Amino acid sequence: MLTLEGLDIVQDDFRLTADWSVPTGARVAIIGPSGGGKSTLLSAISGFAEAQGKVLWNGAPLGDLAPGKRPIAMLFQDQNLFPHLTAAQNVGLALSQGRLTKAQGQRVGLALSRVGLDGLENRKPSQLSGGQQSRVALARVLLQDRPLWLLDEPFAALGPGLRSEMLALVQQIAAEVGATILMVTHDPEDARRFADLVVVVDQGVALAPRDTEDLFANPDQALRDYLGH
Amino acid sequence: MADRLRGLIPLIAAALVGAAVLLPLAAVIWRAGGLSPLDGRSWDAVWFTLWQAALSAVLSVGLAVPVARALARRRFRGRSALVALLGAPFILPVIVAILGLLAVFGQKGWLSDVMGLFGLPAVKIYGLHGVLLAHVFFNLPLATRLLLQGWQDIPAERFRVAATLNLRPWTMFRLIEWPMLRRIAPGAAMVIFVICLSSFAVALTLGGGPKATTVELAIYQAFRFDFDIGKAAQLAVVQLVLAGGAALAAMKLTLPEAGFGGLDRVVPRWDGSRIVDGFWIALVALFLLLPLAAIGLRGAGAIATLPASVWYAALYSVAVSLGAVAVTLVLALPLALSRRKWIELVGLMGIASSPLVLGTGLYLMINPFIAPWDVALPVTAAVNAVMALPFALRILRPAAAQIEAEHGRLADSLDLHGWARLRWLMLPRLRRPLGFAAGLTGALAMGDLGVITMFADPDTATLPLQMYRLMGAYRMEQAAGAALLLLILSFGLFWIFDRGGRINADT
């Protein structure tokens, strides 16, 4: 379970607070106007942004841990792969920062084939399409074997068809390993399709997660403002 | 624990550089006993140093204005080659250029030959004007690059507006170009002034005599001819005050940045005379190419018959050069990766101190313990490494900062730190700038004729020193052969490193 206890992020004249928790295995969409602080919330949870209050995973505070030491795998909006490394090398960094053992190499191959990239192990990101690059990054997240995934609109640059394909793949793989997901999106449709819970970020507050169907059936003021009706 | 140790590495590198610069300076000041009254000859050297540096700066920048203007507004075949050629003097060994200049402008040079056809006397190159000629040869290209950058940074829209208003050339210059020049030219002149303050090899070969001796040359003469280490130390303090004062004054100006490359854009304009621009472009091209061509022509015949001493010297020079590259990179990499602001000052220390001053200090430190000529080559490599460090940092630091900005988050989220971060992220992405920095360092060290002149005994010499000795013995054919060899080695070393950084490197 992820718990945010009196989380308070202050940056210049911007402020965002959050005080709620989500159960393990949940898929949570974070929606709200741009500039509202959706990405900042993920940054605070992952340790890239400073914040007051507490972030707890299964009761253990994460505050003192560097981003790479947290039980978190992250996909950013861009720059999710090192452009000078092959697909296999990029994915391999999830397992080892030295030379991969034979067994680890096989796991890299399996992960790449799980995301549908058989035979593309030795391509560099520039030789892959946008969708394929997203799949490489997803394969790495899969092997990182961390219980909490933070997705900061990683598929925003893909077309609508590819995007829903990727979301479905994330959904499947996350279900297989039981990962908890927080995903920022600006598309309410993505949220409806993907998430069991939705957090609306509005006027400096990340509101407590609500059941997706319930929320869209009975939208509160914040969601109505965002949707524009 | 491991993190704390890693944090110490840049501090250790900074401390090493600091010690390499400050300890010799302290030794010099201690030996000189502070500032003591100078004799007449030393004052002459001070005045000549300031005078020639000022003239060199004004001439270089003054001539660069029409050249940069012509390059900024003309598109022609070979333009990019000429712009590349403007970067060449930076890695051209000084002594090679001097031999080339002598072949063109010397008493028996091509220009004298042409003047002889008209019954005019031969050119006399030695003295102030020879020094200026060489300084302009090296710094006109630098000034041109700085000003060209300034011209290219003027938004093209302004020239479009000027064209629609049909402004007269003078009005256009006053309104658009003059403000840019007023901003950039003083800084460019200051940079050249500082460079020429520490002129040694040029003064050694083309100056000399009581009327054309720089302080750096006077240090060498006191050291080598008068065997007066006390006087050398006294002059070294003077040089330190001059260079330090100029460096402090330079900090008040915004110094222009010459990027390495990116001068390809031609801003479309509809003014100016093709003939005048063509004249300036041809003039600067000839000025740079003729001395190089002379080296090629005269050296090609001699290179096959060079004596063994020259080949040994070449071997020593390659060793010194590779040593300097290794030391510079080992120091520069941790300094470049460190995010501390004050690290930049560490690099600047190399600029403020001159080779002969460092050499004097190192001599004072080493002499009580071992014979200085036994360590002539390591000392030369070390001094060159310190001198090249500021350039290496200028190349590597922005590159490292950009890599951090683009990929640092991903590396953090994957917990890549220390060696792993270096291996998977920084080294592969720094390959190009590393290769470029290594190439510059290697070429600079290869061509350096400075501290080696103080430390070498008659049996050991680097290639530039050996070449200088051949010139001193009037064996000009062999000197030209050695010059060609040195030219090939310097440019070749630069090319190999730079190329090594580019090959298979992903952008």
Side-chain angles (χ1 to χ4, degrees):
Chain A
M1 184 166 75
L2 172 72
T3 309
L4 308 181
E5 244 177 51
L7 196 68
D8 191 353
I9 313 160
V10 180
Q11 293 176 351
D12 301 324
D13 53 354
F14 169 86
R15 184 166 185 190
L16 183 73
T17 59
D19 192 59
W20 37 259
S21 57
V22 290
T24 303
R27 290 191 305 275
V28 184
I30 303 173
I31 62 174
S34 30
K38 304 189 294 286
S39 296
T40 311
L41 181 62
L42 289 198
S43 290
I45 297 171
S46 58
F48 284 104
E50 301 245 344
Q52 304 284 316
K54 278 186 181 168
V55 179
L56 304 131
W57 177 252
N58 290 341
L62 304 182
D64 293 335
L65 297 176
K69 307 272 189 221
R70 299 191 178 201
I72 290 172
M74 185 133 191
L75 286 181
F76 305 101
Q77 282 179 20
D78 50 20
Q79 307 282 21
N80 280 306
L81 302 174
F82 291 125
H84 52 279
L85 300 182
T86 64
Q89 284 174 319
N90 267 296
V91 175
L93 283 177
L95 296 177
S96 163
Q97 302 188 356
R99 187 178 284 278
L100 291 185
T101 65
K102 205 169 170 197
Q104 286 171 327
Q106 283 169 348
R107 286 183 63 197
V108 169
L110 282 176
L112 280 169
S113 106
R114 176 66 189 85
V115 295
L117 292 179
D118 277 308
L120 301 183
E121 292 85 353
N122 294 320
R123 298 262 186 104
K124 291 196 175 169
S126 60
Q127 298 165 308
L128 297 170
S129 70
Q132 288 170 330
Q133 291 177 21
S134 301
R135 286 165 190 266
V136 176
L138 183 58
R140 191 187 56 219
V141 169
L142 174 62
L143 286 193
Q144 270 181 284
D145 198 22
R146 311 242 172 133
L148 178 58
W149 296 5
L150 302 185
L151 277 48
D152 188 2
E153 296 196 69
F155 312 126
L158 305 179
L162 262 180
R163 198 164 75 228
S164 54
E165 207 176 288
M166 282 308 299
L167 286 179
L169 187 61
V170 170
Q171 215 165 348
Q172 276 173 29
I173 293 179
E176 287 166 23
V177 296
T180 309
I181 303 184
L182 264 59
M183 181 183 78
V184 166
T185 178
H186 59 266
D187 184 349
E189 274 314 300
D190 280 357
R192 293 180 88 152
R193 249 194 318 248
F194 177 79
D196 347 287
L197 297 170
V198 173
V199 168
V200 180
V201 174
D202 179 58
Q203 297 185 4
V205 186
L207 299 168
R210 284 183 58 187
D211 180 77
T212 309
E213 275 182 44
D214 176 46
L215 178 70
F216 278 94
N218 309 295
D220 54 15
Q221 188 58 42
L223 183 63
R224 277 205 299 275
D225 286 348
Y226 176 57
L227 296 175
H229 52 73
Chain B
M1 188 61 201
D3 278 338
R4 296 256 315 263
L5 278 178
R6 269 199 302 274
L8 278 179
I9 292 175
L11 297 184
I12 293 170
L16 279 174
V17 179
V21 174
L22 296 178
L23 287 180
L25 295 189
V28 162
I29 293 170
W30 170 77
R31 181 68 174 82
L35 277 174
S36 47
L38 295 176
D39 60 16
R41 259 179 59 194
S42 304
W43 274 118
D44 287 345
V46 171
W47 291 126
F48 179 75
T49 302
L50 292 169
W51 179 230
Q52 60 81 22
L55 281 178
S56 301
V58 170
L59 281 174
S60 299
V61 174
L63 290 170
V65 170
V67 177
R69 190 181 204 215
L71 280 171
R73 64 185 177 189
R74 298 288 162 212
R75 190 189 301 273
F76 54 92
R77 273 183 59 159
R79 183 186 179 279
S80 55
L82 183 56
V83 170
L85 184 67
L86 290 174
F90 190 78
I91 57 169
L92 181 67
V94 175
I95 189 78
V96 171
I98 286 165
L99 195 68
L101 288 169
L102 282 173
V104 178
F105 299 100
Q107 207 138 10
K108 292 177 188 150
W110 294 346
L111 184 62
S112 293
D113 290 350
V114 173
M115 288 175 71
L117 293 179
F118 298 97
L120 293 166
V123 193
K124 289 211 172 75
I125 193 171
Y126 296 98
L128 173 64
H129 45 285
V131 170
L132 293 182
L133 181 74
H135 283 168
V136 171
F137 178 84
F138 278 102
N139 294 302
L140 170 62
L142 171 65
T144 304
R145 288 173 66 93
L146 293 173
L147 293 184
L148 184 53
Q149 186 72 56
W151 248 290
Q152 294 197 337
D153 291 344
I154 299 176
E157 293 79 3
R158 290 197 200 155
F159 290 109
R160 272 212 310 258
V161 172
T164 60
L165 294 172
N166 201 19
L167 292 183
R168 274 175 303 163
W170 173 246
T171 317
M172 179 140 139
F173 179 78
R174 196 165 51 82
L175 285 180
I176 300 177
E177 297 172 300
W178 175 243
M180 179 280 290
L181 284 173
R182 230 181 44 186
R183 200 162 39 83
I184 300 215
M190 195 69 211
V191 168
I192 294 167
F193 180 78
V194 171
I195 292 173
C196 293
L197 274 187
S198 305
S199 180
F200 171 68
V202 167
L204 175 70
T205 45
L206 295 174
K211 285 213 147 68
T213 298
T214 60
V215 177
E216 286 273 283
L217 181 55
I219 295 172
Y220 167 78
Q221 287 169 344
F223 189 87
R224 205 78 203 188
F225 301 147
D226 308 340
F227 307 105
D228 188 347
I229 185 75
K231 186 161 182 220
Q234 188 196 23
L235 286 161
V237 171
V238 171
Q239 174 68 25
L240 192 64
V241 171
L242 285 182
L248 284 181
M251 281 190 185
K252 302 230 168 204
L253 290 169
T254 31
L255 296 183
E257 296 266 340
F260 294 96
L263 295 169
D264 305 330
R265 206 164 59 92
V266 175
V267 177
R269 291 173 58 169
W270 300 267
D271 66 316
S273 150
R274 268 170 190 287
I275 295 167
V276 173
D277 285 349
F279 167 79
W280 284 109
I281 288 168
L283 195 71
V284 78
L286 284 177
F287 183 44
L288 293 180
L289 282 174
L290 282 180
L292 292 179
I295 294 290
L297 288 174
R298 297 202 174 170
I303 202 164
T305 60
L306 284 174
S309 59
V310 171
W311 292 105
Y312 276 116
L315 211 61
Y316 288 143
S317 272
V318 170
V320 163
S321 174
L322 294 179
V325 168
V327 174
T328 301
L329 290 190
V330 164
L331 291 174
L333 197 61
L335 291 176
L337 296 179
S338 166
R339 285 171 226 181
R340 293 186 176 83
K341 271 297 273 182
W342 54 264
I343 293 284
E344 271 157 49
L345 291 176
V346 176
L348 286 177
M349 291 204 302
I351 290 185
S353 52
S354 74
L356 274 273
V357 174
L358 283 187
T360 309
L362 287 169
Y363 183 93
L364 287 168
M365 289 163 64
I366 291 169
N367 198 33
F369 305 107
I370 30 172
W373 44 86
D374 284 346
V375 289
L377 297 182
V379 164
T380 306
V383 170
N384 273 291
V386 171
M387 292 293 145
L389 192 62
F391 301 110
L393 286 179
R394 274 274 289 281
I395 296 164
L396 291 174
R397 261 180 86 84
Q402 196 190 340
I403 295 170
E404 276 298 333
E406 281 176 14
H407 305 290
R409 245 179 2 165
L410 175 57
D412 285 345
S413 83
L414 291 172
D415 203 23
L416 284 176
H417 288 291
W419 167 240
R421 198 182 187 93
L422 201 62
R423 172 186 170 189
W424 291 109
L425 176 58
M426 298 315 282
L427 283 181
R429 296 210 70 73
L430 275 176
R431 265 183 63 177
R432 270 161 177 265
L434 273 175
F436 186 57
L440 279 187
T441 306
L444 288 175
M446 188 81 210
D448 177 54
L449 180 60
V451 70
I452 185 68
T453 56
M454 305 178 81
F455 279 75
D457 64 14
D459 300 327
T460 43
T462 57
L463 190 49
L465 180 58
Q466 187 63 27
M467 207 193 124
Y468 172 64
R469 287 179 179 166
L470 288 171
M471 284 165 72
Y474 295 102
R475 280 149 63 186
M476 293 317 241
E477 281 309 305
Q478 289 187 350
L484 184 58
L485 179 61
L486 181 52
L487 185 72
I488 292 169
L489 285 175
S490 292
F491 282 21
L493 214 55
F494 174 79
W495 186 82
I496 290 171
F497 278 121
D498 188 47
R499 181 87 195 135
R502 283 166 195 270
I503 227 160
N504 290 330
D506 301 278
T507 45

